[in-house]
């Protein structure tokens, strides 16, 4: 039996990045290769300096929100079984 993996990645779209005295927020939408919202993707935001990582799941519309992040640069990526990740930084 042969298994095939999809070489097309999930797109992580950063909707907004906000920061306050209590921490920052990253929001966005995960989309599948056809451009449709992708529910249930594992979204990871990793601080590039401290390596601290936060995980959330995208909702039914593919939206995600990561709250209370310390200031810094983050790499954001979405993961789902059978898909390759398409990391975004900034």
């Amino acid at each position: 039996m042969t298994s095939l993996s999809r070489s097309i990645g999930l797109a992580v779209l950063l909707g907004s990045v906000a920061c306050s005295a209590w921490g920052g927020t990253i929001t966005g939408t995960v989309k599948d290769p056809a451009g449709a919202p992708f529910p249930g993707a594992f979204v990871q935001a990793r601080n590039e300096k401290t390596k601290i990582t936060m995980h959330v799941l995208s909702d039914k519309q593919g939206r995600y929100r990561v709250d209370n992040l310390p200031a810094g640069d983050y790499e954001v990526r979405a993961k789902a079984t059978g898909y390759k990740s398409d990391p975004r930084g900034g």
Side-chain angles (χ1 to χ4, degrees):
M1 181 188 257
T2 306
S3 65
L4 300 174
S5 66
R6 296 179 186 149
S7 60
I8 299 172
L10 295 174
V12 179
L13 304 176
L14 296 178
S16 67
V17 178
C19 219
S20 71
W22 294 280
T25 299
I26 298 173
T27 62
T29 304
V30 179
K31 300 209 173 189
D32 69 15
F38 193 96
F42 296 96
V43 179
Q44 169 185 302
R46 182 174 182 251
N47 185 298
E48 294 179 350
K49 182 178 180 182
T50 66
K51 309 302 184 212
I52 293 172
T53 305
M54 301 291 287
H55 295 84
V56 296
L57 283 174
S58 62
D59 67 13
K60 290 180 183 179
Q61 290 81 36
R63 298 176 302 202
Y64 64 89
R65 179 182 181 97
V66 186
D67 291 314
N68 299 318
L69 297 170
D73 293 324
Y74 286 82
E75 178 184 73
V76 179
R77 67 174 61 218
K79 295 181 181 181
T81 303
Y83 290 87
K84 289 188 178 181
S85 161
D86 187 13
R88 305 295 167 125

